[in-house]
Each structure stands twice: as structure tokens, then as C-alpha cells.
Amino acid sequence: MLRGILAIGLLGLPAVHPGHPAPPPAITVNERVRHQEIDGFGISQAFRRNELLKALPAAKQREVLDLWFHRTKGAGLSILRLGIGSSPAGSPYDHMVSIQPEDPGGPDAPPKYMWDGDDNSQVWVAKEAKRYGVERFFADAWSAPGYMKDNGDDKNGGTLLPEWRRAYAKYLVAYTQFYAEEGIKITDLGFTNEPDYTAPYASMRFTPEQAAEFVKVLGPIARDTNVVCCDSFGWREAKAYTAAIEADPEARRWVKTHTGHTYASPVDGPLPTSRKTWMSEWNPSGNTWNEAWDDGSGYDGMTIAKAVHDALTLGNVSAYVYWLGGSRGETRALLQLDDEAGEYHVSKRLWALAGYSRFIRPGAVRLEAGAADPALKVSAFRNRDGSKVIVALNTGTAPVEWTGVRGRASAYVTDEARSMAPVSVGRGAVTLAPRALTTVVIR
């Protein structure tokens, strides 16, 4: 048993001398205790945010794409969440246009789908992401078209009419088929976004029981795609949706991934399922564009790093999908896209996420990890190629010396002055800077 621990864990132990008990190691990793498999880290650019990117000069577009998806220049993100439109044609900015904007003549009428090959510039970004190696494309609907709902509107909540369930399921699958024609395989398909929240934009209500019932309609039609549910407004609230699906054997059969957001409540533990779970949307509240790492605002880089750590270690999530990759104005997106000036700006939120996403690759497994200093928030992972990734967020005001790091190691730090900057691993020792995120990769 000790052999497995010593190979990676007990990192930092000095030599033991008789009569002098060794102090506890700064970081301990036990490879024999394994937790969830990682699917990846990602962003969404729904609600036409990609049009902001497309308005930038070509060179700036490439720089932004590098920051999102490049594995050495940027965050190396591996999931792209797409928004399935529900609005009528000609809708204003921030509305996603439907592939069937008009009632075809009732739920049993032949569909009249429309596809422009662009999907509000989402196809373009998806193709670019694929070129960087992204393989996970998560398509999610905020609402059914208004004519399928009891309020006659894709906005302002409302519920799906029972007679339209099967037509709505086919509508969602048709969307994935259009993407397949463009060379993009939709791997994960969601039919609802925040079903417990009525919004003035595209939104649709489902109770947990209604969601479980609809899953049994969608599942057999979407056999080639992972069905995802239910993107509740809060993590605690998501547990009710997961419980309803788990309680119904037929619904449970079809849902491969359980998802939740963290606006109404943060990650405080796992969702009640043995299936994979994703934190599929969140960004913090705020009223200004903020590029700071650690200013106490609640939407700085440190805030994001803590949230990612908690989702991985408390929630056992397999994926973390941030809202948004880039947007305009006083946004809490990772990047600010200024389409009028033809420029973009980078926040430390990007580099907080990158400290995890660049090195923890799809298929990695989280390992048991701990720290002697309670100010250190530590998580550890083993990638499929055998490399180990240890991420340490030092929330304290003093540096921590981690000695005894074994193997070919490299380390990267993000703080107020640095963004994923390489730091020395001298003689198997790494200094974990105060108020900083340090990622150590052991190959």
C-alpha cells in the first residue's frame, strides 16, 4: 500500500533521522485513491457572442481563439457549449434564431427546418475549436420555439405543451444533424436551461418530474448523443432534478450526464448520482469589467480559481463550463470583446481557469490530495499519458515551500503580476507563492 502512496504522495517529506520525527509534507497525493474521470473544461459563446469575435480583425480573432483553445498559448479548453436557438427570424441581438421559427402546422405536421450553415457564427467557432483538438460539443436549448409552449413565446418561461414533446425532441436532434453536415459531432445534448427560473430572454419551465418525463421521449430519439439534464439555476436546486431522474429507471437509462449551474447556490457536494456531473454554467456577479487577480471584488481571478477547485473536489464534477468566453461591455466573461474598437482585453479569470484546463486533459482521473497548511487548496490528477498535475491555490499571505517533488517537473504560477508564468523547480522544490495559483506538472 505504501508503495503507491510514496510514488506520488508524501511529496515533500525530508529524510527521516532517528529521534527527529519528520514534519508533515506540504502536499500529499495518494494515487491509490481515485475519484472522478475528467471530461474537460469549456466555455459557451451562446446568444450571438461569436458575432463580436467575428467583427474583430482576423489577427485579433486568431489571438482570441488561441487564448481559448491553444494548449501552450492559452487555456487549452476542451468543451464548447452551443446555444440551440428558439427565436423567430429577424430577432434583435442577443436572441438565437430557431431552425424552425414558424409553426409547421401542428405537432404532427412535417417539419419545416431551416439551416443557414452559420448558426449565429457558432458553426465557425465550432470548426475552429475542432482544429485545436476540441472533441466535446455540448448543444443546449434555453427554450422550445414559442408555438410549442403554453405561453406562445420563447421568452418569459412557460412550459412545453404535452402534444409537442415528440416534435420538440425531433427538433433538437435535427439541430445535431445539421452540425454533423458541417463536420461537427454534437456529443452532448441538453433540452433545458435553468428550468426553475423564468427569464425575460429565452427560457422554459420544467419541474423535476416533467424533466424526467421528457427525457423518456428524447432519449430513444437521440440515441447517438449523450442526453444531458437539467442545468438547474443552482447546484443545490439541481439535486432535485437529478433525484427525480434517478428515481425513474427509464429516465435514468437515458441521461448520461447530470448538470447544474451555481448562481442560486454554490457547489457544496456531489449530485445524487453515480453518473458523471458537470458544472455547466456560471460567472460571478459584478458591475464592471475587471482584469484583477486578487482585489476582493468577488469576480477576480482568485474567485474563479476557488470556484473551480470546489467544483472538482467538493462536487466531484467531471467538467467545468464557464459563462462566457468573451462578451462586450461590463462583462464577467473571460475576455472583453470590443467590436467597435477592434480590440479585446484579457481578465485574470481566464488564467485562473487555464491553471486547471491547460494541463488536466480529458480522460484524466482526480487523485486524493491534501495539504498540511489549511491555506492551500490542492487537487491532483493523473492524465492518460501518465503525467500528474497538482494544482495548488495558496489563499494565505505566506509562501509555502514544497520539497521532494519527484520526476521531470515543470511549474506555472498566476498571481497579480504573472499569468501562467514558468517558475523554477530547483532540486525537487517548488515555492507556492502567496495569494497565487501554482500548477505543477510531473512527467
Side-chain angles (χ1 to χ4, degrees), residues 51-64 327-328 335-345:
E51 295 178 10
L52 300 174
L53 175 59
K54 213 163 190 179
L56 299 182
K60 300 292 184 181
Q61 294 174 13
R62 181 56 53 198
E63 290 169 10
V64 168
S327 191
R328 60 162 46 138
L335 277 64
Q336 184 189 59
L337 305 177
D338 189 340
D339 53 327
E340 293 182 359
E343 292 288 347
Y344 66 88
H345 305 278

Side-chain angles (χ1 to χ4, degrees), residues 27-271:
I27 292 176
T28 302
V29 180
N30 185 351
E31 190 176 8
R32 289 189 180 274
V33 180
R34 301 191 173 195
H35 300 286
Q36 75 272 25
E37 182 183 31
I38 301 300
D39 289 331
F41 301 81
I43 53 170
S44 179
Q45 282 297 98
F47 289 88
R48 301 173 68 174
R49 264 50 175 216
N50 289 326
E51 295 178 10
L52 300 174
L53 175 59
K54 213 163 190 179
L56 299 182
K60 300 292 184 181
Q61 294 174 13
R62 181 56 53 198
E63 290 169 10
V64 168
L65 291 167
D66 282 348
L67 286 168
W68 287 340
F69 302 118
H70 202 285
R71 289 190 59 187
T72 57
K73 297 178 182 178
L77 298 173
S78 50
I79 298 173
L80 182 62
R81 183 179 179 222
L82 305 164
I84 302 175
S86 56
S87 298
S91 296
Y93 175 75
D94 270 7
H95 287 69
M96 299 180 290
V97 177
S98 169
I99 61 170
Q100 186 172 260
E102 305 295 334
D103 186 340
D108 299 320
K112 296 179 181 179
Y113 300 131
M114 302 167 60
W115 181 246
D116 62 5
D118 180 67
D119 196 27
N120 307 127
S121 296
Q122 290 191 113
V123 170
W124 168 61
V125 172
K127 288 180 176 180
E128 289 293 334
K130 183 179 178 181
R131 292 188 181 100
Y132 284 89
V134 174
E135 297 179 348
R136 210 70 190 252
F137 295 94
F138 170 26
D140 205 3
W142 270 246
S143 175
Y147 55 82
M148 296 186 183
K149 298 166 59 180
D150 62 0
N151 68 345
D153 189 355
D154 72 314
K155 304 181 291 297
N156 302 308
T159 60
L160 182 67
L161 292 166
E163 62 268 27
W164 280 95
R165 286 178 181 173
R166 187 167 182 81
Y168 179 48
K170 291 181 176 180
Y171 170 93
L172 296 171
V173 172
Y175 183 88
T176 72
Q177 292 168 343
F178 284 127
Y179 265 81
E181 292 173 5
E182 303 294 339
I184 301 296
K185 176 177 174 53
I186 300 298
T187 52
D188 305 272
L189 179 63
F191 62 90
T192 181
N193 175 80
E194 297 177 356
D196 42 358
Y197 178 70
T198 297
Y201 47 83
S203 55
M204 181 167 64
R205 304 290 299 227
F206 284 93
T207 66
E209 293 72 26
Q210 288 170 336
E213 285 301 313
F214 182 73
V215 161
K216 293 185 284 188
V217 177
L218 175 62
I221 297 172
R223 286 178 176 271
D224 297 330
T225 309
N226 294 327
V227 173
V228 172
C229 193
C230 293
D231 282 352
S232 173
F233 188 46
W235 195 256
R236 189 179 306 115
E237 292 75 7
K239 293 176 183 178
Y241 287 86
T242 297
I245 290 167
E246 289 289 305
D248 187 322
E250 182 66 12
R252 186 184 185 280
R253 173 188 176 189
W254 297 111
V255 176
K256 305 302 182 185
T257 304
H258 293 257
T259 54
H261 301 174
T262 53
Y263 297 108
S265 55
V267 173
D268 59 356
L271 297 181

